[in-house]
């Protein structure tokens, strides 16, 4: 069995080199970037384009039937601090960050299920 270790919750360190993949965090109660990054940015289509390519390649290298997608340890602090995330959520009638994570997870499930 192959396990991709908790992709959503522990990505900032691993994926910071991929442009726009992780969410930039903001200083509390400001519009100033903190210099820190949080989990994968779930509001950008480029995120899903990257993940589709990533999982396609991963499945060719590791042709196992099972994969751990993670999502069990996601901190919402960075998403809460990010005004772009807040605007996207408002435009999509999401008021709960767990629902935003659910949106991301469903998109990811759809990708790996192809």
């Amino acid at each position: 069995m192959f396990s991709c270790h908790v992709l959503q919750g522990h990505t900032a360190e691993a994926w910071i080199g991929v442009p726009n993949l992780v969410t930039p965090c903001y200083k509390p109660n400001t519009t100033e970037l903190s210099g820190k990054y949080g989990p994968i940015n779930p509001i950008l289509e480029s995120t899903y384009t990257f993940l589709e390519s990533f999982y396609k390649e991963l499945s060719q290298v590791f042709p196992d039937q099972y994969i751990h997608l993670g999502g069990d340890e996601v901190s919402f602090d960075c998403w809460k601090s990010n005004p772009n995330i807040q605007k996207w959520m408002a435009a999509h009638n999401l008021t709960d960050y767990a629902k935003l994570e659910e949106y991301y997870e469903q998109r990811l499930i759809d990708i790996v299920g192809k």
Side-chain angles (χ1 to χ4, degrees), residues 44-106:
L44 300 176
E45 282 304 311
S46 60
T47 294
Y48 302 102
T49 301
F50 171 82
L51 290 174
E52 188 165 0
S53 175
F54 174 76
Y55 280 106
K56 182 178 179 181
E57 183 175 337
L58 197 62
S59 70
Q60 292 168 352
V61 175
F62 301 100
D64 299 301
Q65 293 181 321
Y66 300 98
I67 188 166
H68 175 64
L69 299 176
D72 58 321
E73 298 179 1
V74 179
S75 169
F76 300 144
D77 293 340
C78 188
W79 286 352
K80 289 177 182 178
S81 77
N82 187 300
N84 297 316
I85 298 279
Q86 294 167 11
K87 288 176 192 170
W88 188 93
M89 287 179 64
H92 291 82
N93 298 314
L94 293 177
T95 57
D96 182 334
Y97 290 91
K99 292 291 185 189
L100 177 61
E101 181 183 16
E102 184 179 309
Y103 168 83
Y104 163 79
E105 291 290 340
Q106 187 57 58

